[in-house]
Amino acid sequence: MAMSVGEAAKLLGVAPSTLRYYESAGLLTALARTEGGQRLFTDIDIEACRVIECLKMSGLSIKEIKAFMDMVAAGDESLEGRLALFEARRDALKREMAEMQSVLDVLEFKCWYYGTAVAAGTEDAVRGLSEEDIPAEHRAGCARLKGMHGE
């Protein structure tokens, strides 16, 4: 079943102008139109938009996404290139997630650290604690901080 740009935008959680931009940028090249010229989105178009959004969120530029969509249009001869692109994005995202987990570990440690200090009324209650005195779930953040400062 085909749907209007407004219906498709609502389904995808984006603005209609985003979908119009995708078409003008060459990311959606085969949209059907009504006799009055209004865009019609099929299930295949919706799936393509979801892939575009995924690639965008993974850090690809519109130009890079266009190159991917061109590979899709090229058919089976581009399967290896498409696989390589998704593997590269997956691997990059895994690296970024590991980096963000390290940041989160530090933030969690500091929340515990300052929360404990506030409860005690003094930072002396937590300053200089040994590793064994720090709750296990906060040791990674503490260790990360020490590594950051070369301690």
Side-chain angles (χ1 to χ4, degrees):
M1 179 178 136
M3 60 185 85
S4 70
V5 68
E7 293 167 328
K10 185 175 182 180
L11 178 67
L12 294 165
V14 300
S17 60
T18 299
L19 298 180
R20 290 184 197 100
Y21 172 71
Y22 288 169
E23 184 184 26
S24 70
L27 305 180
L28 300 171
T29 58
L31 290 179
R33 292 192 179 258
T34 66
E35 288 182 18
Q38 293 178 322
R39 294 166 184 84
L40 292 174
F41 287 79
T42 65
D43 290 342
I44 291 170
D45 299 321
I46 297 298
E47 183 179 339
C49 290
R50 287 187 172 127
V51 170
I52 291 166
E53 285 294 305
C54 175
L55 292 173
K56 214 168 87 174
M57 288 180 12
S58 82
L60 287 186
S61 68
I62 293 297
K63 181 179 177 181
E64 291 166 319
I65 296 170
K66 169 79 168 84
F68 167 75
M69 297 305 283
D70 290 345
M71 284 193 278
V72 171
D76 288 347
E77 69 186 50
S78 68
L79 285 173
E80 288 182 14
R82 288 185 267 168
L83 173 61
L85 180 134
F86 274 91
E87 288 174 338
R89 291 313 313 145
R90 177 200 59 204
D91 295 346
L93 192 56
K94 283 182 177 182
R95 283 189 303 275
E96 291 171 27
M97 288 172 67
E99 291 169 7
M100 292 306 296
Q101 184 60 56
S102 290
V103 170
L104 182 58
D105 289 345
V106 170
L107 294 174
E108 292 286 1
F109 167 71
K110 283 301 195 177
C111 286
W112 169 82
Y113 179 95
Y114 288 115
T116 303
V118 166
T122 178
E123 195 173 354
D124 290 340
V126 286
R127 188 181 290 129
L129 288 178
S130 68
E131 184 178 334
E132 297 79 34
D133 292 328
I134 296 170
E137 65 269 22
H138 299 300
R139 290 180 189 154
C142 180
R144 174 78 174 144
L145 273 177
K146 290 182 181 204
M148 290 172 138
H149 299 297
E151 294 176 291

